[in-house]
């Protein structure tokens, strides 16, 4: 790890494991670590950087989940490919639609600044009694309903209101507030539309919907927002790259 010039700043607000992740990502993206390069085992790496084994394990697990590293039995940990990477800035639905030439519009259905419930506090790592922004939106593309979105956002970063949400994407608002997104945990699934969803999405009751749950983390290690979205399955799909482990 010494050849990577990786340094750890213990006075930084960025968690130690995130600093390791950032250093290795930079080495891969700049070509210092070539595809197929082998890394020392986690015990040796932790000792070199004077970090605990759990901290190093967290960093390596994140890099494996991102598709940058791969663990092979009998071989160790290797760089997968300099071309396989997760963007440092996570995209939102608004970003995706705009970048593909569409014209997204948003209708804010509800907006509240309330005390967070237990599930939200757990997802955003908030203390008891903390408040958060909670809102639901209907997203259309070129006038056609596409998604129903429900989100909770911590309120100690930037101000959010219904007017902003009606004219901008959530991630754009948060980036303007100083958030640098790092990663997200995301779960996708499927369900059938109930009466409420079918009416707003202009589809039939029982029609197929794609579901997505996401919690996004910034470069300070804060869980910034969490949300549950449903999409018309006849209008939207998710595409991903899979890596052989």
């Amino acid at each position: 790890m010494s050849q990577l010039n990786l340094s750890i700043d213990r006075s930084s607000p960025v968690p130690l494991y995130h600093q390791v992740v950032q250093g290795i990502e930079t080495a891969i993206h700049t070509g210092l670590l070539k595809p197929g390069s082998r890394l020392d085992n986690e015990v040796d790496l932790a000792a070199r950087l004077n970090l605990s084994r759990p901290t190093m394990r967290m960093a390596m697990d994140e890099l494996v989940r991102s598709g940058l590293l791969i663990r092979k039995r009998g071989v160790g940990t290797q760089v997968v490919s300099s071309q396989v990477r997760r963007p440092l800035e996570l995209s939102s639905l608004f970003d995706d639609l705009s970048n593909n030439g569409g014209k997204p519009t948003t209708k804010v259905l509800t907006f509240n600044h309330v005390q967070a419930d237990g599930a939200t506090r757990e997802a955003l790592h908030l203390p008891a009694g903390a408040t958060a922004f909670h809102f639901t939106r209907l997203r259309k593309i070129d006038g056609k309903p596409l998604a129903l979105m429900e989100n909770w956002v911590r309120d100690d970063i930037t101000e959010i209101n219904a007017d902003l949400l009606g004219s901008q994407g959530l991630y754009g608002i948060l980036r303007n507030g100083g958030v640098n997104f790092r990663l997200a945990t995301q779960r996708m699934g499927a369900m059938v539309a109930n009466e409420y969803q079918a009416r707003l999405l202009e589809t039939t009751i029982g029609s197929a919907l794609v579901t997505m749950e996401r919690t996004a983390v910034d470069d300070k290690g804060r869980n910034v927002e969490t949300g549950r979205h449903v999409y018309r399955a006849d209008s939207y799909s998710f595409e991903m790259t899979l890596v052989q482990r």
Side-chain angles (χ1 to χ4, degrees):
M1 187 65 72
S2 58
Q3 70 272 22
L4 300 181
N5 296 317
L6 182 60
S7 60
I8 299 298
D9 182 1
R10 298 181 185 277
S11 65
S12 170
V14 179
L16 298 178
Y17 83 95
H18 272 297
Q19 295 184 44
V20 175
V21 169
Q22 291 168 353
I24 295 178
E25 281 182 340
T26 298
I28 293 173
H29 295 160
T30 59
L32 186 60
L33 274 177
K34 305 293 184 183
S37 298
R38 293 177 58 181
L39 275 67
D40 293 335
N41 64 61
E42 293 170 9
V43 175
D44 290 341
L45 292 177
R48 290 190 185 185
L49 296 173
N50 194 26
L51 296 173
S52 68
R53 290 179 62 182
T55 295
M56 183 59 64
R57 166 67 66 163
M58 288 177 64
M60 303 301 279
D61 284 348
E62 182 175 317
L63 289 161
V64 169
R65 287 193 299 268
S66 298
L68 291 173
L69 299 181
I70 184 172
R71 291 187 177 105
K72 292 184 178 180
R73 183 175 300 175
V75 176
T77 304
Q78 291 180 291
V79 177
V80 175
S81 170
S82 59
Q83 299 302 313
V84 179
R85 64 184 69 176
R86 170 172 282 167
L88 297 182
E89 291 188 350
L90 300 175
S91 65
S92 67
L93 177 60
F94 191 94
D95 296 333
D96 293 340
L97 297 176
S98 298
N99 292 338
N100 287 330
K103 296 181 179 179
T105 57
T106 306
K107 179 179 181 181
V108 179
L109 303 174
T110 63
F111 180 86
N112 295 285
H113 187 194
V114 296
Q115 184 169 310
D117 59 22
T120 302
R121 292 198 308 271
E122 181 177 358
L124 298 181
H125 297 171
L126 297 174
T131 54
F133 297 113
H134 176 218
F135 44 88
T136 57
R137 296 166 292 161
L138 173 65
R139 176 67 45 75
K140 295 184 178 182
I141 178 65
D142 299 326
K144 181 181 179 180
L146 176 64
L148 279 172
M149 304 176 291
E150 181 177 19
N151 291 83
W152 294 261
V153 180
R154 57 189 307 150
D155 62 3
D156 56 356
I157 296 175
T158 189
E159 183 63 30
I160 297 177
N161 57 57
D163 289 339
L164 280 174
L165 290 168
S167 60
Q168 302 178 42
L170 173 59
Y171 279 25
I173 294 171
L174 291 173
R175 289 191 187 103
N176 289 337
V179 172
N180 295 309
F181 288 100
R182 168 57 54 180
L183 60 91
T185 56
Q186 183 165 290
R187 176 185 300 171
M188 291 173 288
M191 65 180 299
V192 296
N194 59 30
E195 182 179 0
Y196 171 77
Q197 294 163 335
R199 174 171 56 82
L200 288 172
L201 292 173
E202 298 179 12
T203 188
T204 58
I205 297 174
S207 62
L209 301 177
V210 177
T211 67
M212 186 270 284
E213 299 179 13
R214 174 190 283 183
T215 299
V217 183
D218 70 2
D219 60 357
K220 296 181 181 178
R222 298 177 298 185
N223 287 24
V224 175
E225 68 88 17
T226 187
R228 294 197 298 255
H229 300 177
V230 295
Y231 306 82
R232 285 184 53 147
D234 61 354
S235 302
Y236 199 77
S237 63
F238 290 93
E239 182 176 296
M240 65 196 75
T241 299
L242 304 179
V243 179
Q244 177 65 47
R245 299 302 184 194

